[in-house]
Amino acid sequence: MIKTVHTSNSSHDGALVPAVLYVCAQRGTERPTVPEEHAVDEGHAFADEHHMRIVAEITDPYGEPDPAKRPGWRRVKEMAEHGQMTAVIVRWPNSISPDDALRYPEIAWCRQRGVRVLFSWSPLAAQEAP
């Protein structure tokens, strides 16, 4: 699911870094939507704290390990190609892929286009994707 978001945490939107919030979370067993809700809330809080403006929320269902096969991740890459954002916020590395061999090339691809991959989960929030 792709949702265009026009939010701001400042009256000077032009000074805020345009970012995409990408969510791909495994559904909970007892409360299926909770992991996705946490990722969205955390992503917005991260964006606010780091002076970012979320230009789109893009969600993929969890389960496909290859991000290139997910329509949402393909949309993230399309937006990167068109310069529509300079950062993508994910909760943790497994949101991109649980498989390092599939994750790292995608992160490198983003970097080559000037797009930073950032983690919103607090233990990882201080670092950028390797």
Side-chain angles (χ1 to χ4, degrees):
M1 178 179 82
I2 300 168
K3 178 169 48 169
T4 303
V5 181
H6 299 286
T7 61
S8 170
N9 58 2
S10 166
S11 60
H12 304 291
D13 275 356
L16 299 176
V17 173
V20 166
L21 175 57
Y22 178 70
V23 178
C24 185
Q26 187 170 7
R27 296 178 69 78
T29 52
E30 291 184 27
R31 296 173 43 206
T33 62
V34 169
E36 185 176 316
E37 291 167 4
H38 280 243
V40 169
D41 292 345
E42 200 172 82
H44 279 276
F46 181 91
D48 287 345
E49 183 179 324
H50 292 88
H51 309 288
M52 297 179 170
R53 176 176 48 92
I54 295 182
V55 295
E57 274 180 29
I58 300 175
T59 305
D60 273 322
Y62 186 83
E64 172 56 60
D66 187 351
K69 293 181 179 178
R70 294 188 216 134
W73 186 255
R74 288 194 305 267
R75 178 67 180 132
V76 169
K77 291 176 74 169
E78 182 181 305
M79 291 180 75
E81 282 284 336
H82 291 99
Q84 295 174 304
M85 46 77 158
T86 58
V88 62
I89 301 167
V90 300
R91 189 159 199 226
W92 42 51
N94 282 1
S95 297
I96 298 170
S97 178
D99 183 341
D100 291 350
L102 296 171
R103 179 187 323 130
Y104 291 122
E106 295 297 320
I107 292 169
W109 185 94
C110 288
R111 276 200 180 146
Q112 291 166 354
R113 283 146 187 88
V115 175
R116 298 170 22 208
V117 177
L118 304 168
F119 305 122
S120 63
W121 187 51
S122 60
L124 298 176
Q127 67 186 31
E128 195 169 323

